[in-house]
Amino acid sequence: MKYRAFQKISEHLKGSDLSRCVPYQGGGVGKGGYGRLVFKWGGKSFSYAAHRVAYELRNGEIPDGHVVRHKCHNPRCINPRHLETGTHADNAKDRVDAGRSAPQKGAQNGNAKTTAEDRATIRQRRAAGETLRAIAADYGIHLSTVYAIMKSKN
């Protein structure tokens, strides 16, 4: 079934300007915006990541333990010139180096329920003697979160 994926990507790349990104235009899109090729055969579905198929088409098999990385940082791109293999650690470093990694600590975390200003106020209220429980209730957070805010510099 993978041969059909190779055919589809080969057709897509034919005539494309390989000096630029070549976004996958197929209908399937996976998590993170990566193009997906989906085929049904014999009552089963076969799904392939478009960028991985593009890499294999031009470069051969992906080494064990490696992922296909986008040098262009465009998850829909299937231009083989923009693709290279590496480890998950290499890929994570690419993400950080490109500034596409969300901060994980404190108020900068996308899941944070408090802002930097809230944290300063929480510290002031606690220093004035308010209980962890009262402060937590006002902000809709667990009292252990208030305690963590008190201990951290974030």
Side-chain angles (χ1 to χ4, degrees):
M1 199 43 51
K2 200 169 195 178
Y3 72 91
R4 288 184 59 196
F6 285 133
Q7 286 176 323
K8 190 138 181 138
I9 293 296
S10 184
E11 289 169 15
H12 194 76
L13 289 172
K14 199 178 292 181
S16 295
D17 179 1
L18 297 182
S19 68
R20 306 175 65 141
C21 283
V22 179
Y24 176 66
Q25 299 295 326
V29 179
K31 183 178 177 183
Y34 294 90
R36 301 282 315 167
L37 296 120
V38 181
F39 302 98
K40 295 187 188 301
W41 185 72
K44 293 184 178 181
S45 285
F46 297 86
S47 178
Y48 303 98
H51 67 289
R52 292 177 61 89
V53 173
Y55 178 88
E56 288 184 277
L57 181 65
R58 296 293 166 95
N59 300 296
E61 201 170 307
I62 299 166
D64 285 342
H66 279 220
V67 296
V68 176
R69 300 155 52 203
H70 287 86
K71 293 187 271 187
C72 58
H73 308 294
N74 177 356
R76 288 192 68 92
C77 182
I78 59 168
N79 183 343
R81 293 180 182 173
H82 293 188
L83 305 172
E84 65 186 1
T85 62
T87 64
H88 284 283
D90 294 332
N91 205 26
K93 184 179 181 315
D94 290 346
R95 187 178 64 243
V96 170
D97 291 348
R100 295 178 299 107
S101 187
Q104 299 301 308
K105 292 202 171 212
Q108 289 79 37
N109 184 309
N111 293 319
K113 293 184 178 179
T114 58
T115 65
E117 188 176 290
D118 291 337
R119 288 166 171 258
T121 303
I122 287 169
R123 288 186 186 98
Q124 289 170 352
R125 288 175 62 180
R126 183 67 182 133
E130 283 192 60
T131 66
L132 297 175
R133 192 173 308 279
I135 296 168
D138 286 349
Y139 286 92
I141 57 179
H142 193 272
L143 62 97
S144 65
T145 304
V146 176
Y147 182 75
I149 290 169
M150 297 306 300
K151 288 180 59 175
S152 77
K153 294 179 179 131
N154 294 326

